[in-house]
Amino acid sequence: MRYIGNKTKLLDRIYNAMKEHGIAGGSFFDFFSGTASVAKFFKQNGYDVFSSDLLFMSYCLQRAYITNNMEPEFKALLPKLNNCCSQSLLESPLDKVLCFLNNCVEKKHGFIYKNYSVAGTKHLKQPRMYLSDENAAKIDAVRQTIEDWYTSNLVTEDEYYVLLACLLESVSLFTNVAGVYAAFQKKWDPRAIKPFVIKPIELCIGKKTGKAYNTNSSELLATVKADIFYLDPPYNERQYAPNYHLLETIAKYDNPELRGVTGMRDYSNQKSAFCRKETALAELEEILKNAKCNYLLLSYNNEGIMPQEDILNMMNKYGKTTLVEFNYARYKSNSNGEADNKKAVKEQLYIVDLLKL
Ligand SMILES: C[S@@+](CC[C@H](N)C(=O)[O-])C[C@H]1O[C@@H](n2cnc3c(N)ncnc32)[C@H](O)[C@@H]1O
């Protein structure tokens, strides 16, 4: 998924740096999980994984990739589906269910259509161009069907989150935004006018079952213990909740009150202390002080709001600290979320060995 700070392309370099610095262990806490890309990687590499994020959309991804540990069978649901979709013997149960969602549910003029399509918002001075009318109605239909199946016990909790993750990953491929959702584009991106299709996620079946949380991760410091804590906090003032509000609303589907041109939901309880210069370093120190781990890794970059020297001085109070830097063409969208450009920055990995002072 396109997500600010997604570490997919850096995983090998992070892992190699860990190995070069003798960071070993069997359990891993992905403290700011986002797309769950890091948690997934460590689950695949045999670690016991914990993950957490303030956003519920991230929790859905974590539940699907980290907590779920089997191919969903949809035992209760499949016998109830009518035959509108041809079900070849080769298709997996997930493919069969997605085939049904793609072909056999009636479009609905629900919350997403009414608030994020042009037809649904034509009464506004600036109608919202997040989704085509057809796609918004399709997304409502799919989201409502998944919820109906869950509330009627036709899908298990794991199956529910796998379906929500398929929906969220797929929606992000059909939205008319330049990266983030803080603004919609005023012309249709070719991607957004293609007919919406819900696609399967690549499941992450591992030997170990992970545990996912949807909370301020600092609240887990008293309970979660792992060999390695991996911190990938926001680097600047831009909060994640407003930048991904549409995906959050599709995930929660809770009919929130919306504000402004972009139809933003309230995110006052999802603000991160890492997005404020005045609070970021103190928050990081609280984590270091209370973390039940042997090694703490922090991904950051040389343009972040916490100065490198302050981070190093503080970390050195808690353990032997090493800074590794990688050159990286980082994804950037401008302050209105309107344009993308690539910018070379130094991606940093701070490694704190809490066993050595
Ligand atoms: C840089 S992104 C993480 C990206 C992630 N590593 C990936 O590869 O997708 C930072 C994440 O931290 C989350 N976040 C910020 N402050 C948080 C907090 N106090 N507790 C939990 N999550 C937080 C944001 O919602 C966002 O998803």
Side-chain angles (χ1 to χ4, degrees), residues 24-85:
S27 51
F28 185 92
F29 182 12
D30 184 14
F31 208 85
F32 299 94
S33 197
T35 61
S37 67
V38 181
K40 234 190 291 183
F41 178 87
F42 282 87
K43 181 179 175 190
Q44 275 156 346
N45 279 285
Y47 285 74
D48 277 315
V49 172
F50 302 90
S51 59
S52 173
D53 201 283
L54 280 170
L55 298 194
F56 183 70
M57 58 152 288
S58 164
Y59 179 71
C60 294
L61 302 176
Q62 295 167 48
R63 285 292 308 252
Y65 294 121
I66 307 308
T67 312
N68 174 58
N69 224 1
M70 58 184 280
E71 295 278 345
E73 294 176 317
F74 296 107
K75 273 191 189 151
L77 178 66
L78 282 176
K80 302 274 183 207
L81 298 185
N82 63 34
N83 293 329
C84 101
C85 201

Side-chain angles (χ1 to χ4, degrees), residues 3 6-7 32-35 37 53-54 215-217 232 240 272:
Y3 196 75
N6 184 336
K7 289 293 170 296
F32 299 94
S33 197
T35 61
S37 67
D53 201 283
L54 280 170
T215 185
N216 178 339
S217 304
D232 185 19
Y240 275 72
S272 177

Side-chain angles (χ1 to χ4, degrees), residues 148-288:
D148 290 347
W149 287 341
Y150 185 51
T151 49
S152 340
N153 292 319
L154 287 175
V155 293
T156 64
E157 206 171 313
D158 278 348
E159 289 165 351
Y160 174 68
Y161 283 110
V162 167
L163 291 176
L164 287 185
C166 294
L167 178 60
L168 293 168
E169 296 270 17
S170 303
V171 166
S172 74
L173 305 173
F174 293 88
T175 42
N176 192 37
V177 298
V180 294
Y181 297 76
F184 49 84
Q185 303 197 92
K186 311 296 178 300
K187 284 192 187 139
W188 288 108
D189 189 306
R191 161 181 70 227
I193 44 181
K194 288 192 190 132
F196 175 74
V197 182
I198 179 167
K199 300 176 185 175
I201 55 166
E202 218 170 283
L203 293 161
C204 177
I205 313 291
K207 291 197 188 87
K208 311 265 179 71
T209 298
K211 184 132 182 57
Y213 298 89
N214 177 207
T215 185
N216 178 339
S217 304
S218 293
E219 288 170 11
L220 300 170
L221 287 166
T223 42
V224 176
K225 189 175 167 212
D227 297 324
I228 302 162
F229 274 28
Y230 172 72
L231 274 56
D232 185 19
Y235 298 178
N236 57 32
E237 286 87 357
R238 295 170 70 197
Q239 296 282 352
Y240 275 72
N243 277 310
Y244 294 94
H245 69 99
L246 177 54
L247 295 182
E248 187 71 356
T249 294
I250 292 173
K252 288 189 165 156
Y253 213 61
D254 54 352
N255 303 326
E257 227 176 81
L258 302 180
R259 289 173 55 174
V261 176
T262 61
M264 187 78 75
R265 56 184 296 128
D266 175 51
Y267 60 94
S268 48
N269 60 359
Q270 288 177 305
K271 287 191 177 164
S272 177
F274 282 91
C275 296
R276 289 189 59 219
K277 218 175 169 25
E278 301 76 27
T279 50
L281 198 69
E283 186 72 7
L284 180 61
E285 180 150 21
E286 272 309 297
I287 297 171
L288 263 154

